[in-house]
Amino acid sequence: MTDSTIPEHTAPPENHVVILGAGPAGAGAAYQLVQKKIARVTVLELRDGVGGNAGSFELDGVHCDFGSHRLHPVASAEIMRDLHRLLGKDLLYQTRHGRILLQGRWIHFPLKPLDLFLRLPKSFALSVLADAARKLLPRAASGPETFATVLERGLGRTICREFYFPYARKLWGVDPQDLAPTTAQKRVSGSSIGKILRKVSKQIPGLKPPGAGRFYYPRRGYGQISQCLYEAARDLGAEFKFGARFTAIEREGSRIKAVRYQLGGQEFEIPTRTVWSTIPISHLLQGMRPEPPRDVLDAASNVAFRGMILIYLVLDQDRFSNYDAYYFPEESIPISRLSEPKLFSSSSEPRGRTVLCAELPSDPGCPEWDLSDQELGRRLCEWMGRAGLPTPVRVARVVTRRLRQAYPVYRQGYEERFSRMDGWLGEMEGMLTLGRQGLFAHDNTHHTLAMAYAAAGCLSPGGEFDHARWAEHRKEFETHVVED
């Protein structure tokens, strides 16, 4: 403890949980713990508000998200019950209305049978049919399984090479052959022709199941989900410290002793026996004191997260189009997605103003990472024009945000590295990792909230954690597949 360290609590209470990160996982866990009177909670968050990468901010009167987010109707009944109660009429039930650019043609997303029939490029459709016919012939597998082999076996060469492979290179910055097969299994819900056809059939009237093509979205931006959980947890006694930079977890052998953090130029320490972390697992390990073994630190330094530059164009018009999102799988257009936040909430306010949000996958050190807002805005307008989406009015303002850890990157061999990190942390009494960053998981918000609710359900008011039950939940988490 340094001279500047100020102890916040003289002794660790019987059941005091310190949570690192106030995204949906952290805010959701805090709410569950205090709402069920399981534990005292302190949440440390680096940013000045909740939500993390699923947060929101206001730009010229428009509620904007860090990218494009939706809450899918497949969320558990318990989670939806809580969100309906906390958000009330602010939780809107919306219809999806997007488009995918493929070989110069726009195709509706979610996929619709008639639209596919009328708009799918004929050469593309014929090649897909030929691939499907070839799949009937027996073929011996060769070489190691990768993202590329799994998808090509399930979808055929045409869909992979014209759609999924370019999108993968853009999204993760890695060649499909270098991605682990887990990426295909967890990130691509339509990983076979059969699965795609089932998705298309769900858009046919009479066959459409409840929730197909629909999503939930808060009136004041996606971050309102985390905000309502935070406010409810705070009102029940949870303590949130914003602008708090986690610096270390002190341990004695396998026992957690305290969490250290910096706030306002000072260093603080919270004695505790229980830490739940939703921050990137690699960052967590680098903050353990004493340090983990060298092989664990090596594993931590060799897992990667893909970054993202978010480019916001403020336009002086009511709305840009009738489509809430555009998807760009081909590498000729560098952005992966373009969305219009006002359409997600069906908002008509503010009048005469809308915002477009473009997602540009990138990493620190890449040439575009250090470009100015104006230059990124100029390039975005150029890419939009190339895609047939010119901005009809002058761009009033360009704003950018940069996310250093947008997606986990499942490179070949990542499983062994993650297992080494996860296994060592699992030996620490009172230590738990959860959420997208903590479990290095491809997931949606409803998956992340399920993790938070499950974790709270494993902790007793006396401080005992049901590790066997958590292990069963971890098996469930491994079956999560991202909803498109």
Side-chain angles (χ1 to χ4, degrees):
M1 184 181 297
T2 64
D3 292 339
S4 62
T5 301
I6 303 173
E8 295 218 335
H9 310 286
T10 56
E14 185 64 26
N15 213 12
H16 181 193
V17 178
V18 177
I19 298 175
L20 305 181
Y31 169 68
Q32 282 290 290
L33 289 172
V34 294
Q35 191 262 340
K36 295 181 176 179
K37 300 181 180 179
I38 298 170
R40 176 186 176 187
V41 175
T42 301
V43 182
L44 304 180
E45 168 56 45
L46 179 60
R47 294 181 182 176
D48 58 4
V50 298
N53 290 353
S56 300
F57 65 98
E58 191 171 316
L59 178 58
D60 287 11
V62 179
H63 294 289
C64 297
D65 304 329
F66 294 110
S68 173
H69 297 277
R70 296 175 175 84
L71 182 66
H72 298 277
V74 294
S76 76
E78 182 184 12
I79 290 170
M80 290 310 308
R81 189 164 52 247
D82 282 348
L83 293 180
H84 276 296
R85 180 170 53 81
L86 294 171
L87 285 164
K89 293 182 180 179
D90 276 357
L91 189 59
L92 309 173
Y93 195 40
Q94 304 289 71
T95 300
R96 298 190 67 169
H97 192 39
R99 295 202 294 178
I100 297 172
L101 184 62
L102 183 63
Q103 293 187 353
R105 295 196 181 187
W106 290 108
I107 300 167
H108 193 275
F109 188 79
L111 302 174
K112 293 183 177 181
L114 182 60
D115 190 73
L116 281 174
F117 178 76
L118 294 175
R119 296 188 175 277
L120 199 65
K122 295 297 184 287
S123 59
F124 182 88
L126 291 172
S127 294
V128 171
L129 289 174
D131 289 342
R134 277 192 287 271
K135 280 171 57 64
L136 299 175
L137 302 174
R139 243 174 89 186
S142 61
E145 285 276 69
T146 67
F147 172 88
T149 61
V150 169
L151 282 191
E152 199 156 316
R153 184 170 60 247
L155 294 168
R157 175 175 294 189
T158 304
I159 293 178
C160 287
R161 301 198 176 183
E162 296 292 333
F163 184 90
Y164 278 112
F165 290 177
Y167 199 59
R169 280 190 290 268
K170 180 190 298 187
L171 203 60
W172 292 295
V174 176
D175 190 272
Q177 293 289 353
D178 295 329
L179 286 169
T182 317
T183 310
Q185 296 153 3
K186 290 184 176 293
R187 187 61 181 82
V188 182
S189 57
S191 56
S192 70
I193 294 291
K195 289 180 180 179
I196 289 178
L197 291 176
R198 284 194 290 274
K199 280 177 170 287
V200 174
S201 69
K202 290 179 181 179
Q203 301 302 316
I204 299 174
L207 299 178
K208 205 170 188 177
R214 304 293 296 274
F215 66 100
Y216 289 100
Y217 189 83
R219 192 180 304 277
R220 296 198 296 274
Y222 200 74
Q224 195 178 354
I225 292 175
S226 296
Q227 184 70 22
C228 78
L229 291 167
Y230 150 66
E231 290 173 357
R234 177 202 61 197
D235 292 347
L236 290 168
E239 185 179 28
F240 285 76
K241 295 184 177 295
F242 296 110
R245 179 181 294 277
F246 155 72
T247 55
I249 292 178
E250 302 288 348
R251 65 185 179 92
E252 190 175 280
S254 62
R255 291 177 180 270
I256 302 299
K257 303 295 288 185
V259 175
R260 295 174 62 176
Y261 66 97
Q262 293 176 348
L263 179 63
Q266 291 184 293
E267 187 168 349
F268 299 86
E269 182 175 286
I270 306 177
T272 184
R273 290 195 293 266
T274 308
V275 176
W276 290 7
S277 175
T278 71
I279 67 175
I281 187 171
S282 51
H283 293 187
L284 174 68
L285 283 161
Q286 290 159 3
M288 299 295 292
R289 298 292 180 270
E291 290 185 343
R294 174 47 53 187
D295 64 319
V296 176
L297 287 176
D298 287 344
S301 64
N302 283 287
V303 296
F305 290 87
R306 180 63 158 161
M308 183 80 71
I309 302 174
L310 302 169
I311 312 169
Y312 301 88
L313 300 183
V314 178
L315 303 178
D316 289 333
Q317 60 185 115
D318 282 332
R319 61 169 52 185
F320 176 72
S321 77
N322 293 320
Y323 295 94
D324 54 25
Y326 298 84
Y327 298 83
F328 305 92
E330 297 167 346
E331 291 173 284
S332 59
I333 306 294
I335 59 172
S336 57
R337 181 165 52 187
L338 181 76
S339 56
E340 188 170 2
K342 281 179 72 173
L343 272 63
F344 278 62
S345 60
S346 302
S347 175
S348 60
E349 298 295 335
R351 298 282 182 181
R353 171 129 323 159
T354 193
V355 174
L356 300 180
C357 171
E359 300 170 37
L360 176 62
S362 183
D363 292 308
C366 292
E368 61 272 13
W369 192 264
D370 295 320
L371 291 177
S372 68
D373 289 4
Q374 290 307 311
E375 177 58 21
L376 285 167
R378 186 193 67 76
R379 293 191 184 193
L380 174 57
C381 290
E382 178 187 318
W383 300 331
M384 289 171 59
R386 200 185 304 164
L389 297 171
T391 53
V393 297
R394 183 184 65 84
V395 175
R397 189 177 173 198
V398 181
V399 173
T400 65
R401 296 287 189 273
R402 287 162 175 76
L403 308 179
R404 290 177 176 268
Q405 292 95 22
Y407 301 113
V409 180
Y410 288 171
R411 287 182 178 272
Q412 285 281 51
Y414 90 93
E415 296 96 337
E416 190 276 332
R417 293 188 287 274
F418 175 76
S419 178
R420 195 177 304 172
M421 296 185 294
D422 188 50
W424 187 83
L425 285 168
E427 296 173 359
M428 298 294 108
E429 296 179 31
M431 172 61 69
L432 193 71
T433 55
L434 65 155
R436 171 181 284 191
Q437 315 287 12
L439 288 181
F440 202 65
H442 284 298
D443 61 9
N444 299 115
T445 299
H446 67 277
H447 294 139
T448 296
L449 289 173
M451 295 179 192
Y453 277 53
C458 291
L459 186 66
S460 75
E464 294 81 24
F465 191 80
D466 191 335
H467 292 280
R469 187 177 177 187
W470 180 247
E472 289 301 311
H473 284 304
R474 287 285 299 266
K475 291 178 183 177
E476 294 171 19
F477 303 158
E478 290 173 5
T479 67
H480 289 171
V481 177
V482 170
E483 295 282 337
D484 297 322

